[in-house]
Amino acid sequence: MTVLLTYLSKVIICSAVLYGYYHIALRNNRFHQWNRYYLMLITLISLLTPLLQIPLPGQAQESSRVLSYTARIVDLRETVIPANPGISSDAILNTLYIIVIGLLMIRILVSLLRLKSLIRRSQVQDIPPYRFVKHKDIKAPFSFFNYIFWDHQTSLNSPEGQQIFKHELVHLQEKHSADKLFMELVTAACWINPFFHLIKRELALVHEFLADKKAAGEEIAGYAQTILQMAFQSKQFSITNDFFHPPIKRRILMLTQFHTPRFSYLRRIMVLPLAAFIFCSLAFVADKRPSAIPALTITTTAAPTPAIVPASAVAMDTTPVKKANKTKDNVYTFVEQPPSFQGGEEALAKYLSKNIRYSKAAVDKKIAGTVFIQFVVDEQGYIKDAHAVGKNPGFGLVEEGLRVVQAMPQWIPGKHQGKTVAVQFNLPIRFVLEAGKQTPPPPPSPAPGKTITFHPSSDNKEVFTFVEQPPQFPGGEEALARYLNKNIRYPEEAQKAKVDGTTFVQFIVDADGSIRDVKTVGAKKGYGLEDEAIRVVKAMPKWKPGEQNKQLVAVQFNLPIRFSISN
């Protein structure tokens, strides 16, 4: 029901604004054909615009140096069903809304069937392009599509009868019945929207204004008198075009009004910027898709100067968590606009390259590993609560990562729903030793289309972290998500303990597409989540390998898998 309510709310807002402009600037003016098209168009705009989801381009620039490819987070949900599930209020509201729609649709169908039955029982005369229907049950003339229904009391050969006939003929020629039937269906489907009912009533009046204007010709006084004489005839069908359509006062006013309002043309075109504003407000949305996991690689030999290879932005969970032992404010893990280092990711890479030092103890002991530093970027952009998560490789690597993160300058804070908020951020830093090699300087920023390679691994097979054509699961990301959802089993131990979270699986897609070196990185969740993720990744079919310079190469890949328990 939440999705339906959101959609209906947007429809009501859109139709309210556009109909409000009509009521203020266009109503009771003589450009009736324009008003007819306007009323139909704003109905369509109100219905379709909220359905559009046009993502705005992301504001964060793509990193010039990529550590490894990262798939979209695959969300694996395990639903815990209550012992005695009850009927939710959303289900009740959905059912009631659909029942009302069904009743209103039945009402329209009954009207159509009554018309069909009336035609079968009547005397029908074909006079192309219309059909003339006459029956004693018809109380007053009306029309519907190519049928003109006529009563026995009104003489077709009288002056009044000729005026009424011309009026109904205009309805047929202008296809007003299609407009009325469309609005009947719209008001039935969106019966909760009062502005659609106002639009339907106003459109019916505009139809009458158009038919009156063409049928009256030069005999305006006589035509107005005919309307007054026959004003008290009753309507029979809500979906038909009746000559005696109330309110009579507005029909006669439109018939006798010769004054053209000032700025008539301006009134009509001023709706264009209003419609554009409504479209942009409702159709464009911020792109909230999570991006890749950032990681920084520090490579060194005995030399102390590291080489840092940054990646793209953090993939974060969407659940707000409380900041531990600091403040009562919410700290978000996913927001519409994530926090960013001053100058972007390239500036962050330069800062880390300049300030991080591989500790001498780690170099002497040939210690390598990944350090995960987690911190909060508060509402002012300051770094708080920096701490390491996951396994500590020791020998000062964690301490060095914390030192540099805590010394960072002020960030650009994250924003959510137009407000700056505190956001949790994860920064993996990988320290890698390459024995017997001189330490390369920090790689320069590549030009568009160029590649940055990961340094050779211990088995002398070159593993790339960014190539011209990345590796791909057979069938793409959607097929990958289906494979994981089909094959991964939420560990029973984790279900009982109600443990959830995101497991990061890192592996290499070899040049022949096979998977190797599968492992998890980051803080362990336990309860079998890592083991299950590794098992399923190892059982994957061969991937389509990555390509560089038209050669198949080995490429490192990261796969975030989010385990969620839904109550």
Side-chain angles (χ1 to χ4, degrees):
M1 189 64 184
T2 303
V3 176
L4 179 61
L5 282 176
T6 302
Y7 171 73
L8 291 175
S9 300
K10 291 181 178 180
V11 170
I12 292 174
I13 292 171
C14 187
S15 57
V17 173
L18 294 174
Y19 179 77
Y21 181 83
Y22 168 86
H23 191 83
I24 294 171
L26 304 178
R27 186 173 178 264
N28 288 337
N29 288 296
R30 290 180 60 82
F31 34 79
H32 306 311
Q33 197 68 262
W34 170 274
N35 284 348
R36 175 197 177 189
Y37 293 141
Y38 176 82
L39 291 169
M40 290 292 293
L41 187 61
I42 65 174
T43 302
L44 290 172
I45 290 175
S46 300
L47 289 171
L48 298 179
T49 301
L51 295 175
L52 300 176
Q53 297 289 317
I54 304 174
L56 291 172
Q59 297 181 1
Q61 296 180 348
E62 185 180 358
S63 175
S64 60
R65 288 166 277 188
V66 181
L67 170 66
S68 61
Y69 291 100
T70 303
R72 294 185 305 176
I73 286 184
V74 177
D75 201 346
L76 302 169
R77 296 187 177 274
E78 188 70 26
T79 302
V80 179
I81 303 175
N84 295 311
I87 300 176
S88 65
S89 58
D90 285 353
I92 295 174
L93 292 175
N94 277 326
T95 303
L96 290 176
Y97 189 84
I98 293 172
I99 288 174
V100 175
I101 291 177
L103 293 175
L104 293 174
M105 290 295 183
I106 291 173
R107 172 178 167 271
I108 296 173
L109 182 61
V110 168
S111 294
L112 292 173
L113 293 175
R114 287 178 58 198
L115 278 172
K116 185 177 181 180
S117 174
L118 180 60
I119 292 171
R120 285 202 306 265
R121 293 183 284 109
S122 302
Q123 177 186 352
V124 181
Q125 184 179 1
D126 287 326
I127 309 175
Y130 61 88
R131 305 186 73 185
F132 196 81
V133 180
K134 199 169 184 179
H135 194 272
K136 59 185 178 71
D137 291 339
I138 300 173
K139 305 301 181 184
F142 63 91
S143 61
F144 186 67
F145 285 97
N146 62 332
Y147 288 93
I148 295 180
F149 297 82
W150 205 265
D151 64 303
H152 285 293
Q153 289 75 31
T154 305
S155 173
L156 183 61
N157 296 322
S158 65
E160 294 83 1
Q162 285 297 306
Q163 289 175 332
I164 296 172
F165 180 77
K166 290 179 182 178
H167 178 99
E168 300 302 331
L169 196 58
V170 172
H171 285 310
L172 266 63
Q173 293 168 345
E174 297 284 342
K175 296 180 173 56
H176 292 166
S177 295
D179 297 359
K180 292 180 71 70
L181 185 57
F182 171 74
M183 288 307 305
E184 287 289 340
L185 294 173
V186 168
T187 51
C190 297
W191 55 267
I192 200 171
N193 184 359
F195 297 99
F196 279 163
H197 295 278
L198 294 174
I199 291 172
K200 180 180 75 171
R201 186 182 68 179
E202 194 65 26
L203 183 62
L205 274 172
V206 170
H207 288 164
E208 300 308 314
F209 298 157
L210 285 166
D212 288 343
K213 183 178 179 181
K214 291 187 177 182
E218 300 297 329
E219 298 293 330
I220 294 177
Y223 190 87
Q225 185 177 2
T226 300
I227 294 176
L228 287 172
Q229 288 175 350
M230 310 292 286
F232 298 103
Q233 298 289 345
S234 61
K235 293 180 66 178
Q236 301 181 86
F237 300 94
S238 62
I239 59 174
T240 58
N241 299 289
D242 297 87
F243 175 74
F244 312 108
H245 190 284
I248 302 301
K249 181 179 179 180
R250 283 187 64 191
R251 288 180 62 184
I252 295 177
L253 177 65
M254 289 296 101
L255 195 63
T256 57
Q257 178 182 344
F258 297 100
H259 172 67
T260 301
R262 296 180 63 187
F263 311 113
S264 171
Y265 184 72
L266 184 62
R267 292 185 184 196
R268 282 175 274 183
I269 64 171
M270 280 300 293
V271 74
L272 297 178
L274 177 63
F277 172 76
I278 291 292
F279 180 84
C280 294
S281 300
L282 298 180
F284 288 100
V285 295
D287 192 352
K288 299 181 180 179
R289 294 173 297 177
S291 52
I293 306 166
L296 301 172
T297 300
I298 299 178
T299 306
T300 187
T301 57
T305 305
I308 300 179
V309 185
S312 50
V314 176
M316 295 176 289
D317 200 357
T318 56
T319 308
V321 297
K322 293 288 185 181
K323 185 185 292 185
N325 302 323
K326 289 293 180 182
T327 176
K328 296 181 179 179
D329 296 334
N330 279 339
V331 176
Y332 290 82
T333 55
F334 182 65
V335 290
E336 296 169 355
Q337 182 178 329
S340 60
F341 190 84
Q342 295 282 354
E345 291 182 358
E346 189 165 349
L348 173 61
K350 291 178 180 177
Y351 168 82
L352 293 169
S353 297
K354 181 179 179 181
N355 292 278
I356 285 188
R357 295 292 178 266
Y358 210 121
S359 68
K360 187 176 185 301
V363 172
D364 293 340
K365 295 291 184 179
K366 297 182 179 179
I367 301 299
T370 301
V371 172
F372 290 83
I373 306 298
Q374 187 177 92
F375 55 91
V376 172
V377 181
D378 69 8
E379 295 88 340
Q380 288 76 40
Y382 293 109
I383 304 299
K384 294 184 177 180
D385 300 343
H387 60 279
V389 293
K391 184 179 179 181
N392 185 351
F395 294 91
L397 298 187
V398 166
E399 289 76 4
E400 179 63 13
L402 284 172
R403 181 190 67 80
V404 175
V405 167
Q406 289 171 344
M408 281 182 178
Q410 189 175 4
W411 282 43
I412 299 173
K415 288 187 177 181
H416 191 68
Q417 296 178 350
K419 298 179 179 179
T420 56
V421 294
V423 182
Q424 191 179 68
F425 205 91
N426 297 306
L427 183 64
I429 305 174
R430 180 176 299 123
F431 293 81
V432 178
L433 280 169
E434 291 186 340
K437 293 188 179 181
Q438 292 298 320
T439 303
S445 299
K450 299 295 182 180
T451 62
I452 293 295
T453 62
F454 192 80
H455 296 289
S457 59
S458 57
D459 58 0
N460 294 324
K461 290 184 178 180
E462 190 171 16
V463 178
F464 288 76
T465 56
F466 185 63
V467 291
E468 294 168 352
Q469 184 174 330
Q472 186 180 49
F473 187 86
E477 286 193 349
E478 297 299 328
L480 173 60
R482 288 195 298 270
Y483 168 83
L484 293 171
N485 278 286
K486 180 179 178 181
N487 291 279
I488 283 190
R489 297 292 176 264
Y490 211 117
E492 185 177 351
E493 185 182 3
Q495 291 185 49
K496 290 179 179 178
K498 296 183 179 180
V499 173
D500 56 12
T502 302
T503 299
F504 297 89
V505 184
Q506 186 178 92
F507 54 91
I508 293 173
V509 181
D510 242 329
D512 61 354
S514 58
I515 305 298
R516 66 178 173 91
D517 297 348
V518 182
K519 61 182 179 180
T520 58
V521 295
K524 288 188 177 294
K525 304 296 182 296
Y527 296 91
L529 297 184
E530 285 82 9
D531 295 337
E532 179 63 14
I534 290 175
R535 179 191 68 80
V536 174
V537 170
K538 285 183 175 180
M540 281 182 178
K542 284 191 175 183
W543 285 42
K544 180 180 178 182
E547 291 186 18
Q548 173 64 27
N549 296 327
K550 297 184 179 179
Q551 292 184 353
L552 302 180
V553 294
V555 182
Q556 192 178 65
F557 204 91
N558 293 320
L559 181 64
I561 303 174
R562 179 181 297 133
F563 292 84
S564 299
I565 295 180
S566 301
N567 292 320

